[in-house]
């Protein structure tokens, strides 16, 4: 599970770097299409987020095919990857620290078994 937590943290950081570097056009895009987030903000569409993070993190392509076969809902994939938050709030320090995983059960979900070597 530690691998996936580290991986999603790295993806989150790369996503925030991308947002920071591309704020102008992302704001224009989000004026037409945006999604409400659990933190009370908004974010770009799931398809845009998935496209960007696959481009900036090549290792993600190893996971996307099996993830997409299990659940082709783009919003669910963004949630699993920990990217369902308002990036502007995160960059400005007005949002939560980011999504966290519930560690109370102590059992790793079967989907994550064997990913340590990726």
């Amino acid at each position: 599970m530690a691998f996936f937590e580290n991986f999603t943290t790295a993806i989150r950081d790369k996503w925030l770097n991308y947002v920071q570097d591309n704020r102008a056009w992302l704001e224009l895009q989000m004026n037409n299409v945006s999604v409400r987030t659990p933190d009370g903000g908004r974010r770009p569409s799931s398809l845009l987020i998935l496209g960007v993070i696959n481009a900036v993190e090549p290792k993600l392509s190893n996971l996307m095919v099996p993830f997409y076969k299990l659940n082709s809902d783009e919003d669910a994939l963004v949630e699993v990857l920990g990217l369902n938050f308002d990036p502007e709030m995160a960059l400005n320090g007005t949002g939560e620290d980011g999504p966290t995983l519930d560690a109370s059960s102590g059992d790793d979900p079967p989907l994550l078994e064997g990913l340590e070597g990726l």
Side-chain angles (χ1 to χ4, degrees):
M1 189 72 150
F3 161 78
F4 194 72
E5 289 173 4
N6 291 339
F7 191 65
T8 55
T9 298
I11 290 171
R12 182 181 193 277
D13 292 345
K14 288 182 180 189
W15 168 240
L16 289 174
N17 287 337
Y18 181 86
V19 169
Q20 193 166 23
D21 292 344
N22 294 280
R23 276 183 162 147
W25 89 264
L26 283 172
E27 186 60 38
L28 288 172
Q29 191 273 339
M30 285 178 46
N31 286 337
N32 293 320
V33 178
S34 65
V35 176
R36 288 277 168 217
T37 58
D39 57 9
R42 64 189 186 116
R43 63 167 172 79
S45 73
S46 295
L47 289 174
L48 185 134
I49 293 172
L50 293 173
V52 167
I53 62 168
N54 272 283
V56 300
E57 179 49 70
K59 292 180 184 177
L60 185 58
S61 66
N62 294 330
L63 299 175
M64 287 308 295
V65 171
F67 277 7
Y68 202 79
K69 284 182 179 180
L70 287 171
N71 188 347
S72 61
D73 178 359
E74 291 88 4
D75 292 326
L77 290 170
V78 167
E79 183 73 35
V80 166
L81 294 171
L83 299 174
N84 191 21
F85 63 92
D86 184 319
E88 287 296 327
M89 290 172 67
L91 288 169
N92 295 330
T94 57
E96 298 176 10
D97 287 338
T100 58
L101 299 173
D102 180 18
S104 61
S105 70
D107 297 324
D108 288 345
L111 179 62
L112 301 177
E113 289 178 359
L115 293 178
E116 292 80 17
L118 292 179

